[in-house]
Amino acid sequence: MVRGFGWAAAFPDEVWEHVFSFLAADADRNAVALVCRAWHRIERRSRRRVFVGNCYAVAPAAAVRRFPEVRAAAIKGKPHFADFNLVPTDWGGGAEAWVEAMAEGWPHLEELRLKRMVVSDDCLELIARSFKNFGVLSLVSCDGFSTAGLAAIAANCRNLRELDLHENEVEDNCLNWISHFPESFTSLVSLNIACLEGDVNTSVLECLISRCPNLKTLRLNHAMPLEKLVSLLQRAPQLVDVGTSKFSADHHPELFSKLESTFAGFKHLKSLSGIWEAGPTYLPAIYSVCESLTSLNLCYATIQSPELLKFVSRCKNLQRLWVMDLIEDNGLIAVAASCKLLQELRVFPSDPYGVAPPISLTEHGLVAISAGCLMLHSVLYFCRQMTNAALLTIANNRPNLTCFRLCIIEPHTPDYISQEPLDAGFSAIVESCKDLRRLSLSGLLTDRVFKSIGASANRLEMLSVAFAGDSDAGLHYILSGCKNLRKLEIRDCPFGDKALLDNASKLETMRSLWMSSCSVTLGACRQLALKMPRLNVEVIDERRGRPLESWPDDFPVEKLYIYRTVAGPRSDTPPCVWTV
Amino acid sequence: MPTTETGKSSTESEVSGLDYEETQLTLAPPGGSKSEPEKKRGFSESIDLRLGRPALEAHAKDPASGSSHGPVSGAGKSPASKAQVVGWPPVRSFRRNALRSCTYVKVAVDGTPYLRKVDLDAYAGYQQLLTALEEMLSCFTARDYTNERRLVDPVNGAEYVPTYEDKDGDWMLVGWWMFLLHARD
């Protein structure tokens, strides 16, 4: 009989390592690490990928020390509501601390993905110099860098395969950064520069594309004229994923047929995006690729409904569709009839501030999609009206929904037919969709909806709430239910101290909680911080008066960000942030 | 019920709901301080316009958020809710900026090399746009004070009328001013 956990020694470490290599999920690897010391040691030495959902949850040096052989890291910084200007620009999320620690401890790092972080040019230069085998750089919703930093990446990362720049704020101070890729550089597989404002030298780009035979993804930016785009794309008929530039120009029959033949040459195209400012003129030129597309992103394409409808209804194999509300109900009804394989739909508002004439996109479009697209599991939908009946229908049609984000543009909008709150509708969604992982609420909602969510949404991981609820009970229902809740973000709701303090321990089971324009007082934050030492309770106030210590307990907290951490209070808080 | 109005009626009330204070013309550089606007000249009843989006003022406290009890009433909407709320609807600033660039038009004054890009999104209404253009292009014209609403060429006294070029390339008259607008969709 083997004593204690001696059985672990029955096999050499390499065998266990090999076994563990089949565990993809972090949760599984974490579980393995808790079994015994030997497994903890073997697992940590063999972990190749880390995901840090909150850059302040752990000290960079600690992460690097624990997992010395990491090859791929993904790190997230600012809270999600930073996307909507709710987080002060100097809040934090700087990448330097992480990049410095990684440069020191992970010289073999190959992949780095950063989201919502502040990345300086110095950081990019450090990345470029520190990792000999660097292959993948992905920056999503980041800021703080310029094209000069990109030039450093281009010049030094000899084995770069992927450069993915998605919706970053990039300063354009180095116009020819693309020319910093050396002539010997041929390893590019994926290039996404859609977010860059400035012109990119087309001839340099053409040379780059020509010498990179493995290029599969090319997403260009808005600035490139259509003629240049066409001559570029002609050099890479092997592309699987294309993001075009501006899709409008004066009508020239020659350009039209060039565009047509270029796109007809794409035998493997699966994903299409860009199509900025598309007029009806050139869209028909690319009908030939519709049938093969599985992913179509027209969320920046201001195409009107008839043309949009004609285009999208040819895309019979579409799995993902991102589109503007210009598609209207008619368009969505056509999609429901044509795109039977649709899994993900996102409908963005063309006119969020309501200045233009109204678009005919209502709850009917979404109901049609829910009825016609049996594989639909992910929805993001901006609209101006909704009914409980529609939500009930959607819930019954699509119990397989995993992500349901509805944004009714005007806060507090009730069911426009019954004038009731939309509690019943959203309750139906959470009760029917047992695998729902992400939910965003909108419209007129009372505490009742939160009772349903707390009770039924057992798989829910992320919840976004705005302008909803009546009282603390609403928040209490959520925090005392929702077993798997990781991220909760709330704005403009009458939720206060009691619910927070009664559910303090819940907060340590979650990644983070954001509350702004609610009814939380400083006193409650102080109590919470005292009770829960492994939470950082950050009070954010941009009015910059006296220091936090001098404010009374009943001081109303404007913005509150609470997250679990093993790193203690952070040292880089700006003047407007206090860790209580 | 205010909340059941269609998009159209909410647009109308938004336009009429614009207070003059909200639409102050600041002739400072972008991002400059919000000091007293320079009143350029004697257009005495000039509508003060801000060349930019209406103020993204923080939404006035939701009536229910100050207390932890009491239901949120969906019935009455406070006048403040008509103003833009920070970060609502939840549209990424990246998307907002990207979409905005689609609404730029080029404005030229006939017979001059002057060309300006104007963001149509920045104006809540047509009148505001025309007034702003008049301000912008004022150096090429003089005001005819007999009728304050006309712009005239200082040399030959000809009037300027705004016109625009539509998708088919035709020049369409816009209002009763007379300066030439090259506006391309």
Side-chain angles (χ1 to χ4, degrees):
Chain A
M1 181 156 132
V2 181
R3 192 163 47 91
F5 286 101
W7 53 265
F11 296 114
D13 289 1
E14 297 77 27
V15 173
W16 291 122
E17 243 186 70
H18 183 67
V19 171
F20 298 162
S21 69
F22 293 98
L23 299 172
D26 279 346
D28 292 336
R29 291 199 75 111
N30 292 345
V32 145
L34 294 174
V35 167
C36 63
R37 282 216 178 90
W39 277 23
H40 187 275
R41 185 193 64 217
I42 297 164
E43 193 285 314
R44 67 173 268 266
R45 282 205 188 302
S46 61
R47 194 178 298 211
R48 289 280 194 264
R49 314 190 77 90
V50 284
F51 169 71
V52 182
N54 173 4
C55 62
Y56 292 119
V58 59
V64 168
R65 208 170 34 241
R66 168 140 182 214
F67 302 112
E69 297 298 329
V70 165
R71 298 285 183 269
I75 307 169
K76 292 188 178 181
K78 302 183 195 181
H80 175 234
F81 274 179
D83 285 355
F84 317 126
N85 296 342
L86 288 176
V87 178
T89 44
D90 58 349
W91 172 82
E96 317 76 55
W98 277 94
V99 175
E100 279 161 15
M102 293 188 289
E104 174 96 22
W106 290 339
H108 302 294
L109 189 73
E110 291 173 16
E111 298 180 19
L112 183 59
R113 297 169 209 274
L114 303 176
K115 184 168 183 178
R116 267 183 229 109
M117 296 195 77
V118 180
V119 182
S120 63
D121 283 343
D122 285 344
C123 267
L124 291 178
E125 272 157 41
L126 189 55
I127 292 168
R129 286 196 320 265
S130 308
F131 309 114
K132 293 291 166 278
N133 212 24
F134 198 67
V136 173
L137 180 64
S138 169
L139 302 173
V140 176
S141 302
C142 296
D143 63 279
F145 63 101
S146 73
T147 40
L150 297 179
I153 296 286
N156 294 296
C157 300
R158 299 294 158 88
N159 298 310
L160 194 71
R161 295 188 307 281
E162 255 182 66
L163 180 59
D164 175 31
L165 305 172
H166 184 82
E167 293 189 356
N168 304 293
E169 304 265 347
V170 186
E171 202 199 316
D172 203 351
N173 58 5
C174 178
L175 290 174
N176 272 318
W177 70 274
I178 288 265
S179 49
H180 288 251
F181 283 109
E183 281 301 312
S184 54
F185 174 78
T186 58
S187 50
L188 206 57
V189 174
S190 171
L191 180 64
N192 174 9
I193 54 169
C195 66
L196 297 185
E197 295 270 328
D199 289 318
V200 172
N201 189 323
T202 323
S203 43
V204 173
L205 196 48
E206 266 181 49
C207 285
L208 179 63
I209 288 165
S210 301
R211 66 180 190 271
C212 293
N214 297 320
L215 193 69
K216 293 283 185 294
T217 297
L218 181 63
R219 296 190 187 176
L220 299 165
N221 67 339
H222 167 266
M224 187 171 294
L226 195 53
E227 319 83 63
K228 300 231 168 114
L229 170 74
V230 173
S231 60
L232 215 77
L233 292 179
Q234 277 172 346
R235 298 187 178 254
Q238 79 281 10
L239 288 174
V240 172
D241 182 328
V242 166
T244 71
S245 57
K246 247 195 312 231
F247 225 66
S248 65
D250 298 333
H251 180 74
H252 290 302
E254 230 179 85
L255 182 55
F256 188 97
S257 48
K258 257 195 192 165
L259 184 61
E260 203 172 24
S261 58
T262 303
F263 269 73
F266 287 134
K267 300 293 177 222
H268 306 281
L269 196 68
K270 291 243 169 305
S271 176
L272 183 63
S273 59
I275 322 222
W276 305 78
E277 290 173 30
T281 320
Y282 286 99
L283 216 50
I286 65 173
Y287 281 167
S288 57
V289 297
C290 290
E291 193 90 19
S292 61
L293 289 180
T294 57
S295 171
L296 180 59
N297 182 353
L298 296 174
C299 73
Y300 292 109
T302 47
I303 316 172
Q304 297 302 316
S305 181
E307 288 81 32
L308 202 45
L309 204 155
K310 267 191 249 167
F311 191 84
V312 182
S313 48
R314 286 163 187 256
C315 302
K316 309 259 184 263
N317 290 303
L318 221 50
Q319 294 171 19
R320 171 160 56 174
L321 175 62
W322 293 16
V323 74
M324 297 248 251
D325 58 4
L326 301 167
I327 196 167
E328 300 192 336
D329 286 339
N330 291 341
L332 289 178
I333 291 167
V335 169
S338 317
C339 308
K340 291 305 190 187
L341 302 178
L342 196 68
Q343 297 179 24
E344 180 185 330
L345 174 71
R346 295 196 192 187
V347 178
F348 294 92
S350 54
D351 178 38
Y353 306 107
V355 177
I359 298 284
S360 177
L361 179 104
T362 67
E363 76 278 13
H364 297 299
L366 187 55
V367 169
I369 294 277
S370 74
C373 302
L374 305 184
M375 299 173 66
L376 185 78
H377 65 80
S378 178
V379 170
L380 169 65
Y381 200 78
F382 280 82
C383 61
R384 291 180 189 275
Q385 65 184 53
M386 187 51 60
T387 63
N388 282 310
L391 286 171
L392 240 104
T393 307
I394 293 164
N396 288 332
N397 286 342
R398 295 274 61 76
N400 51 329
L401 285 175
T402 56
C403 171
F404 189 73
R405 293 151 74 188
L406 180 67
C407 180
I408 304 164
I409 290 178
E410 191 67 44
H412 308 303
T413 306
D415 177 321
Y416 75 95
I417 293 178
S418 68
Q419 298 309 314
E420 297 281 294
L422 291 170
D423 297 337
F426 278 105
S427 297
I429 295 279
V430 293
E431 282 154 21
S432 168
C433 306
K434 309 248 183 275
D435 286 328
L436 197 69
R437 288 199 293 272
R438 186 165 178 185
L439 177 66
S440 298
L441 304 172
S442 57
L444 181 65
L445 295 165
T446 72
D447 286 345
R448 280 197 304 275
V449 73
F450 297 108
K451 189 168 186 185
S452 304
I453 296 173
S456 303
N458 293 318
R459 293 262 162 85
L460 194 68
E461 295 175 4
M462 183 167 177
L463 178 64
S464 307
V465 187
F467 304 102
D470 311 317
S471 73
D472 256 8
L475 181 58
H476 177 74
Y477 288 133
I478 298 295
L479 292 178
S480 57
C482 296
K483 287 200 308 264
N484 283 298
L485 195 65
R486 290 198 200 160
K487 287 182 283 181
L488 179 58
E489 47 185 23
I490 302 171
R491 63 164 295 173
D492 293 274
C493 297
F495 299 153
D497 300 345
K498 189 170 187 316
L500 217 53
L501 290 170
D502 286 348
N503 295 282
S505 46
K506 169 76 169 181
L507 298 178
E508 219 180 89
T509 69
M510 294 164 51
R511 185 188 299 172
S512 64
L513 166 65
W514 169 278
M515 290 178 74
S516 55
S517 305
C518 296
S519 313
V520 182
T521 66
L522 189 54
C525 294
R526 286 174 171 143
Q527 280 184 267
L528 190 63
L530 221 71
K531 194 170 171 188
M532 310 290 300
R534 281 192 301 246
L535 292 180
N536 276 356
V537 178
E538 291 189 6
V539 167
I540 299 167
D541 194 305
E542 292 175 90
R543 286 165 296 187
R544 303 201 195 174
R546 307 164 291 165
L548 181 88
E549 290 76 32
S550 59
W551 293 341
D553 274 351
D554 63 358
F555 188 83
V557 166
E558 179 59 31
K559 293 176 183 176
L560 178 62
Y561 187 50
I562 301 171
Y563 55 90
R564 69 178 174 190
T565 179
V566 294
R570 57 184 173 112
S571 53
D572 63 349
T573 46
C576 61
V577 178
W578 287 269
T579 308
V580 177
Chain B
M1 280 294 273
T3 49
T4 60
E5 56 196 323
T6 61
K8 186 171 180 171
S9 51
S10 85
T11 303
E12 286 163 7
S13 52
E14 265 181 38
V15 168
S16 62
L18 273 178
D19 297 325
Y20 284 159
E21 300 93 300
E22 277 188 37
T23 56
Q24 283 208 322
L25 173 63
T26 52
L27 295 176
S33 62
K34 292 180 180 144
S35 53
E36 262 289 308
E38 293 175 73
K39 302 265 193 252
K40 258 245 160 141
R41 68 192 94 105
F43 196 2
S44 52
E45 74 250 330
S46 77
I47 299 166
D48 287 329
L49 277 178
R50 183 186 314 106
L51 296 178
R53 301 201 78 84
L56 289 176
E57 293 292 326
H59 180 47
K61 269 279 188 222
D62 187 276
S65 65
S67 65
S68 48
H69 303 290
V72 170
S73 165
K77 232 192 338 209
S78 64
S81 67
K82 284 296 184 188
Q84 270 185 31
V85 176
V86 173
W88 190 267
V91 171
R92 285 194 184 175
S93 33
F94 184 86
R95 157 168 291 274
R96 274 206 313 271
N97 297 337
L99 284 181
R100 194 178 302 173
S101 62
C102 297
T103 56
Y104 274 92
V105 294
K106 290 186 205 146
V107 178
V109 178
D110 195 35
T112 74
Y114 192 74
L115 191 73
R116 280 287 294 270
K117 258 172 87 169
V118 167
D119 182 4
L120 290 181
D121 254 357
Y123 305 100
Y126 195 62
Q127 192 54 49
Q128 288 89 336
L129 168 64
L130 289 181
T131 313
L133 288 172
E134 178 242 33
E135 294 283 322
M136 226 185 272
L137 305 175
S138 57
C139 42
F140 295 103
T141 61
R143 185 85 43 132
D144 178 352
Y145 286 103
T146 58
N147 182 340
E148 289 196 6
R149 296 236 173 235
R150 289 209 190 288
L151 285 179
V152 293
D153 183 291
V155 173
N156 59 22
E159 268 187 73
Y160 283 93
V161 166
T163 59
Y164 71 92
E165 187 179 356
D166 70 8
K167 285 193 287 241
D168 304 321
D170 298 324
W171 288 101
M172 316 287 281
L173 262 181
V174 170
W176 36 258
W177 281 13
M178 260 189 155
F179 65 86
L180 217 64
L181 256 159
H182 296 269
R184 278 289 202 100
D185 283 323

